[in-house]
Amino acid sequence: MSDTVTGYIDHIIFRNEDNGYTVMVLKDSKEEELTCVGSFPAVTQGAVIEAEGVYTHHPVYGRQFQISSFTEKMPEDTMAMERYLGSGAIKGIGAALAARIVRRFGEDTIRIVEEEPERLAEVKGISEKKAREIAAQVTEKADMRKAMIFLQKYGISLNLGAKIYQKYKDSIYTVLQENPYKLAEDISGVGFKIADEIAARIGIHADSDYRIRSGMLYTLLQASGEGHTYLPQEQLFARCSQLLGVDESYMEKHLMDMVIDRKLVLKERNGENVVYPSQYYYLELNTARMLCELNILCPEDEQLVRKRIELIEKETGTVLDEMQKKAVTEAASHGLFILTGGPGTGKTTTINAIIQFFEGEGAELRLAAPTGRAAKRMTETTGYEAQTIHRLLELNGMPEEERDGHSAKFERNAQNPLEADVIIIDEMSMVDIHLMHSLLLAVTAGTRLILVGDENQLPSVGPGNVLRDIIHSGCFPVVELTKIFRQASESAIVVNAHKINRGEQVQINNKSRDFFFLKRYDADIIIRVVIALIQEKLPKYVDARPFEIQVLTPMRKGLLGVERLNQILQRYLNPPDSSRKEHTLGDRLFREGDKVMQIRNNYQMEWEIRGRYGIVIEKGIGVFNGDTGILKEINEFAETAEVEFEDGRFAVYSFKQLEELELAYAITIHKSQGSEYPAVILPLLSGPKMLLNRNLLYTAVTRARKCVTVVGSEETFGEMIRNEKQQKRYSALDERIRELNDAVEKGEMTGM
C-alpha cells in the first residue's frame, strides 16, 4: 500500500543531475520535516508537492519517504506563494521581489501569476519584458505539471516523462494518442516494449500500421545486437510475427512502404531478399567505398625493399621467413594491407619488421587496438606506444541525436583526419562496422592502413564481420601466416590451438607444461576444482594474482554458466566481510573488492588516472564493453560506486548505472576477445550445441599466455572440436566491396 504526503520542498540535500536521483527535505503544514528520496525531473526549493510512495528505514539515515510519483501544486495561501516565488523556482525573482509581489496583490497573487502575469509589471523592479519572461516560465511549468500527470497515467516514470516532455512539449498529447511508437524512434530509454505497453493502454490495435512498422524496426535493431547488419526477409517476417502476434501477410506492404520512406533497404543476396535498416546498409556501403579508396598501389623498388629487410634482420637479430618478408613488401607497396594468422605464426615479429621498415623511411606511425588490454599488449610486444581506437580517434562523447546506442562522436573525422603516414590496427577481428566506419573517416587517402588479426577468432561483439568480410572480398592484398615457429611449437597451447582450428583431436595426457585437462563429470565438483586452482594451484605456477586468472565459459545460463559461477566464485574469492560495503541491484550483489566488467559501451562515462597521493594526472570519457576492473568503493550516501580499471582509469558509477556492470570472476568466451590472461580455466560439461563449437574453443584456448586448464568432460571437448557450426552472422561488407570494385573496373574499361 502506498502513502501520500503533501508539503513544500524546504531544501535539497543531494542531487545527481545525470539520473535525477534526489534527497530532499519536505515540510508539511505543521512545519514538520520529512526526508524524501527518489528520481525526479527538475525540482525546486519552495515548490509544493503531493507525493505518493512508501516509508522506508535507511540503515544510516533513518526514516525516509521513497517517492514513486508526485504532482506539483500551486501554493494555496499568500505565505506559501511568497515562499514559492522566492525559492528560485522562477528565474529573476528572489526573496525580496517575491515579498513585494505578494504585498501588492495579496490573496489574488496566485490568480495574477497564473492568469494575468503581465500585471506583474505593476510591481516596482519588474519591467514589461521581465513580466513577459515570468509569464512564459509560469506557463511552461503549468504545462509540464499537466503533462507529467498525463504521462503518469500511462505508467511512465518521472525521469522518462521529463525526457518525453522536453522532446515534444505541447504536441505530446497528439504523439501519444496517434503514434506512441514514435517515442521508440525519438527517445533513448524508450524501446519498442515500452511504446507497445503505452499503445495497449491507449487502445491502439495490434495490427495498426504504426505498430507493425515499429515492430519491424525493433526486430532489425535486436538483430544488430546479435551482430547482424541485415536479416533475410523470411526471417525478419517470422521474428516480427512472433513479437507482434500478427500474421506475416500484413508485413509485405509495410516493408515496401518503409523502403520508399528510406527507413529500410531491400537487396538480393544469394537468390533471396535481405532487409537492412538503412543506417547499416549505408555503413557497409561507405566502409566499402573508403576501403577501396585507400587501396592504391605505392610502387616500391622490390630489390631495395629486400635490401632494407636484410638490414632490419641484421640489426634486430631476427630471421624472417618468406611469407613474413612478403608481408613487409606488400605493406610497403600498398595503401591498404591485411596481415592474418593464428597464434605462434610470427605476427608480432612481422609487425615489428613493418614498423622498422617505415621508421627507416622517416614515416610517422600510429598503433591502435580495439580494447585497452589489446593496446597494452601491443605496446609491450612492439615497444611502441599503442592506444585504443577510441582514444586514437579522440572520443568526445555521444551526441544526443544518436538513436542506435552504438555510434560515438570523435574529434578525428573527415574534417579533422589523423596526422600519420602509417596506421597499424591489431586484433581486427574485434572491430565492428561502426568503429571501422569511424576509423576510415579519419584516414586520408595516402595514409597507409595495415590491419592485423586472426580471422578464425570470434567476430566482434557489435554488428558486422569486418575482418573476415574484407579478407573474403578478395579485393585487397592479404598475407596469411601459417608456419608455427620453433619456439611457439614447444607450447602445447599454440600446437593445440592449431589442431582445434583444423578440426584435429587433441591428446589429453597432461604431459605438457602449459595445457592441462582435469576430467570431472559433476558441475559442483568442477566448480570446487576451479576454486582450488584459482586460490591455491595456479597463482604460484604462473606467477600471477588469483584475480588475474580468468574463468571462461561458453554460456551465461546453466550449472556452469557465467551467472551461477560468478555468484559462487564471489562467495569464495571475495567473501562477505563487515569491512566491505555491499549494494544489491535487482538480482546482482556488488561488494567492495569485486572483480567487475563493463557490459555495454558508455561514451559519456568520465574517468581519470591518478598519480601519487591521488592527484589527477589525466581525464577522459568513455568506458567500453569488456573493460574489467575492481570495485574499490561503495558510497551509500552519494549512492555511487568507484571502479578502478586494469589500465589505471578510475570511474564513478551512480547506483542506477551499476546495471552496466556485472561480476567478472567468470566471463563468456565472447567477452574475452582481444584479451590475454596469464592462465585460463575452462569448465566444460554440456550445453546448447550452437555454443559448443570449434570457433569458441579456439578463441578460449588462445586467450592464455602461460597455461590452459580444461576441467570437465573430454567428450564435450571432443564434440566442440568436431562441431564446425557457428552462429550464422548476416553481414555483406564483402559483397559491397566487390560491387564497388567491379564498378571501378567497368568504369575504367568504358573510359568512364
Side-chain angles (χ1 to χ4, degrees):
M1 271 293 285
S2 62
D3 295 287
T4 304
V5 297
T6 305
Y8 69 91
I9 300 166
D10 184 66
H11 61 280
I12 292 164
I13 299 171
F14 170 80
R15 180 165 170 79
N16 182 331
E17 288 302 338
D18 288 339
N19 58 17
Y21 181 80
T22 310
V23 181
M24 61 192 186
V25 171
L26 202 68
K27 278 191 178 176
D28 63 13
S29 55
K30 294 175 188 162
E31 291 293 300
E32 285 181 5
E33 294 188 352
L34 174 65
T35 304
C36 296
V37 295
S39 286
F40 315 111
V43 285
T44 39
Q45 273 171 230
V48 177
I49 64 166
E50 184 177 276
E52 269 190 36
V54 289
Y55 287 97
T56 59
H57 189 85
H58 192 284
V60 181
Y61 308 111
R63 186 172 182 251
Q64 293 184 337
F65 190 72
Q66 180 83 42
I67 295 177
S68 55
S69 68
F70 80 98
T71 52
E72 200 176 317
K73 299 183 136 356
M74 280 308 278
E76 287 170 1
D77 57 40
T78 52
M79 195 175 140
M81 189 66 189
E82 186 175 328
R83 190 170 51 230
Y84 172 70
L85 289 174
S87 68
I90 293 171
K91 282 190 203 121
I93 300 182
L97 193 50
R100 288 213 296 280
I101 291 168
V102 173
R103 261 204 312 278
R104 172 75 181 81
F105 298 113
E107 296 287 335
D108 215 14
T109 304
I110 297 162
R111 189 190 65 75
I112 297 282
V113 168
E114 282 206 310
E115 294 171 20
E116 299 180 78
E118 64 283 351
R119 282 191 58 196
L120 292 172
E122 294 171 23
V123 177
K124 194 176 173 216
I126 299 180
S127 65
E128 275 185 40
K129 187 181 172 217
K130 194 169 187 177
R132 278 198 300 276
E133 282 169 9
I134 292 166
Q137 280 186 70
V138 170
T139 310
E140 167 85 1
K141 284 186 178 294
D143 289 347
M144 188 169 179
R145 271 201 302 279
K146 204 168 85 185
M148 297 310 272
I149 294 163
F150 175 75
L151 291 170
Q152 280 173 41
K153 274 199 320 207
Y154 297 114
I156 295 169
S157 72
L158 294 164
N159 228 12
L160 199 50
K163 258 189 187 175
I164 294 169
Y165 180 75
Q166 289 309 323
K167 173 76 184 170
Y168 299 119
K169 297 287 195 287
D170 283 348
S171 58
I172 193 167
Y173 307 102
T174 321
V175 170
L176 278 188
Q177 299 292 352
E178 284 181 8
N179 177 17
Y181 296 100
K182 195 164 167 42
L183 270 61
E185 284 181 50
D186 292 346
I187 292 160
S188 75
V190 179
F192 172 80
K193 292 275 167 72
I194 292 176
D196 206 29
E197 274 174 36
I198 296 166
R201 284 183 176 151
I202 288 168
I204 285 172
H205 288 296
D207 61 355
S208 98
D209 292 358
Y210 291 132
R211 184 169 188 261
I212 291 170
R213 289 182 190 195
S214 189
M216 281 163 80
L217 280 172
Y218 174 74
T219 303
L220 287 166
L221 195 67
Q222 291 296 99
S224 76
E226 296 159 27
H228 309 302
T229 58
Y230 69 82
L231 281 180
Q233 182 178 313
E234 212 173 282
Q235 205 180 119
L236 169 64
F237 284 6
R239 284 192 187 198
C240 200
S241 171
Q242 202 177 354
L243 170 78
L244 301 173
V246 168
D247 193 78
E248 291 181 28
S249 58
Y250 283 91
M251 289 163 204
E252 189 88 43
K253 166 190 173 298
H254 292 296
L255 173 62
M256 296 323 293
D257 286 348
M258 290 170 83
V259 168
I260 291 162
D261 287 348
R262 301 193 171 182
K263 290 240 170 27
L264 303 178
V265 172
L266 191 60
K267 295 290 284 182
E268 194 183 299
R269 184 168 166 87
N270 303 328
E272 66 174 349
N273 279 347
V274 304
V275 185
Y276 281 91
S278 286
Q279 70 187 92
Y280 283 107
Y281 175 73
Y282 288 108
L283 275 172
E284 278 193 351
L285 187 63
N286 288 326
T287 298
R289 177 184 54 76
M290 291 187 284
L291 284 166
C292 290
E293 283 170 3
L294 286 176
N295 188 29
I296 49 174
L297 264 174
C298 314
E300 290 271 349
D301 183 329
E302 207 168 314
Q303 290 301 106
L304 210 60
V305 173
R306 285 275 166 174
K307 277 196 177 126
R308 293 276 306 285
I309 292 170
E310 280 170 29
L311 201 63
I312 290 165
E313 286 179 307
K314 205 176 278 179
E315 282 172 3
T316 57
T318 53
V319 179
L320 302 177
D321 78 350
E322 271 314 301
M323 288 308 278
Q324 290 176 310
K325 286 175 184 172
K326 186 185 177 196
V328 180
T329 310
E330 293 282 281
S333 53
H334 290 92
L336 178 68
F337 169 65
I338 298 99
L339 177 67
T340 183
T345 56
K347 285 202 303 290
T348 300
T349 308
T350 311
I351 292 171
N352 284 335
I354 290 170
I355 288 171
Q356 271 159 329
F357 179 89
F358 284 117
E359 262 200 317
E361 291 204 330
E364 190 181 334
L365 287 99
R366 301 292 290 274
L367 274 60
T371 64
R373 239 179 209 275
K376 191 177 171 198
R377 208 166 87 224
M378 199 180 183
T379 303
E380 286 162 3
T381 56
T382 62
Y384 228 86
E385 198 213 334
Q387 55 195 147
T388 63
I389 300 171
H390 285 91
R391 287 181 85 175
L392 175 76
L393 297 178
E394 297 170 24
L395 176 75
N396 73 354
M398 196 166 97
E400 279 300 301
E401 65 272 11
E402 287 295 359
R403 287 292 305 125
D404 53 62
H406 294 281
S407 301
K409 192 162 183 271
F410 296 106
E411 289 291 334
R412 295 288 179 175
N413 49 39
Q415 284 72 47
N416 181 27
L418 289 161
E419 289 146 23
D421 301 307
V422 181
I423 296 168
I424 304 175
I425 307 290
D426 198 7
E427 291 291 356
M428 267 300 299
S429 62
M430 296 182 69
V431 175
D432 66 19
I433 192 71
H434 288 283
L435 193 53
M436 191 64 194
H437 185 264
S438 296
L439 172 68
L440 291 171
L441 281 174
V443 179
T444 50
T447 298
R448 282 183 171 84
L449 182 63
I450 296 165
L451 309 176
V452 185
D454 179 353
E455 71 159 312
N456 294 307
Q457 296 286 357
L458 289 166
S460 56
V461 174
N465 206 344
V466 174
L467 178 65
R468 182 167 285 197
D469 282 354
I470 291 173
I471 293 169
H472 286 203
S473 73
C475 296
F476 307 115
V478 176
V479 169
E480 183 181 5
L481 303 176
T482 51
K483 180 185 166 189
I484 303 173
F485 284 84
R486 190 180 60 78
Q487 197 180 346
S489 69
E490 291 167 12
S491 157
I493 294 175
V494 171
V495 172
N496 288 342
H498 284 275
K499 279 186 173 177
I500 290 164
N501 194 36
R502 292 193 298 265
E504 297 167 14
Q505 287 307 311
V506 169
Q507 289 283 299
I508 297 171
N509 56 23
N510 290 342
K511 285 182 183 164
S512 85
R513 291 196 305 272
D514 61 1
F515 197 103
F516 304 103
F517 202 114
L518 309 177
K519 297 176 190 177
R520 303 289 187 276
Y521 306 99
D522 174 275
D524 291 340
I525 290 169
I526 288 172
I527 292 171
R528 280 215 291 278
V529 171
V530 168
I531 291 164
L533 284 168
I534 297 171
Q535 286 186 320
E536 300 152 29
K537 306 269 175 27
L538 285 173
K540 282 196 204 83
Y541 189 71
V542 296
D543 187 26
R545 300 192 312 276
F547 269 34
E548 292 176 286
I549 294 159
Q550 190 59 57
V551 179
L552 300 180
T553 170
M555 294 150 296
R556 289 198 62 80
K557 307 281 179 194
L559 294 173
L560 291 176
V562 163
E563 290 169 13
R564 181 167 187 254
L565 280 171
N566 271 322
Q567 285 180 344
I568 296 168
L569 292 171
Q570 182 190 42
R571 213 158 54 229
Y572 284 91
L573 302 178
N574 188 29
D577 186 315
S578 57
S579 69
R580 286 198 281 266
K581 294 197 197 85
E582 296 179 355
H583 178 70
T584 305
L585 184 77
D587 56 358
R588 288 181 216 172
L589 170 72
F590 292 103
R591 183 177 293 131
E592 287 177 342
D594 272 337
K595 184 177 178 179
V596 291
M597 173 183 269
Q598 175 80 9
I599 55 170
R600 67 179 71 123
N601 288 342
N602 184 331
Y603 300 108
Q604 307 287 15
M605 175 74 77
E606 294 176 3
W607 53 260
E608 56 188 38
I609 293 172
R610 298 167 189 166
R612 285 179 69 188
Y613 314 115
I615 293 163
V616 177
I617 54 173
E618 191 182 342
K619 281 185 171 194
I621 55 170
V623 177
F624 304 105
N625 194 346
D627 287 354
T628 48
I630 303 293
L631 204 163
K632 302 296 279 188
E633 186 190 0
I634 291 172
N635 185 326
E636 293 274 349
F637 179 72
E639 302 221 328
T640 57
E642 184 176 71
V643 173
E644 182 182 4
F645 289 101
E646 286 173 325
D647 52 8
R649 290 174 303 151
F650 285 83
V652 175
Y653 289 72
S654 68
F655 277 0
K656 192 167 180 286
Q657 287 172 314
L658 286 177
E659 64 193 22
E660 295 183 14
L661 289 177
E662 65 183 22
L663 296 176
Y665 299 101
I667 64 173
T668 61
I669 297 166
H670 274 95
K671 292 279 190 194
S672 72
Q673 277 177 284
S675 296
E676 194 181 65
Y677 310 97
V680 159
I681 303 172
L682 194 57
L684 283 183
L685 202 50
S686 62
K689 205 163 172 57
M690 189 53 91
L691 286 174
L692 298 177
N693 64 46
R694 184 187 298 176
N695 193 221
L696 213 62
L697 184 59
Y698 173 75
T699 300
V701 168
T702 54
R703 297 307 89 209
R705 192 160 58 241
K706 294 181 181 174
C707 176
V708 171
T709 311
V710 183
V711 188
S713 152
E714 72 273 34
E715 199 176 308
T716 303
F717 185 76
E719 266 175 34
M720 285 182 86
I721 294 172
R722 288 189 293 275
N723 180 14
E724 274 189 277
K725 283 199 175 90
Q726 38 184 337
Q727 223 162 347
K728 172 81 177 139
R729 181 167 282 216
Y730 297 112
S731 69
L733 177 62
D734 53 348
E735 198 164 295
R736 301 289 84 79
I737 292 167
R738 282 194 292 269
E739 283 169 0
L740 285 169
N741 216 46
D742 291 350
V744 167
E745 283 177 9
K746 280 177 192 159
E748 284 171 356
M749 284 185 282
T750 56
M752 275 172 70

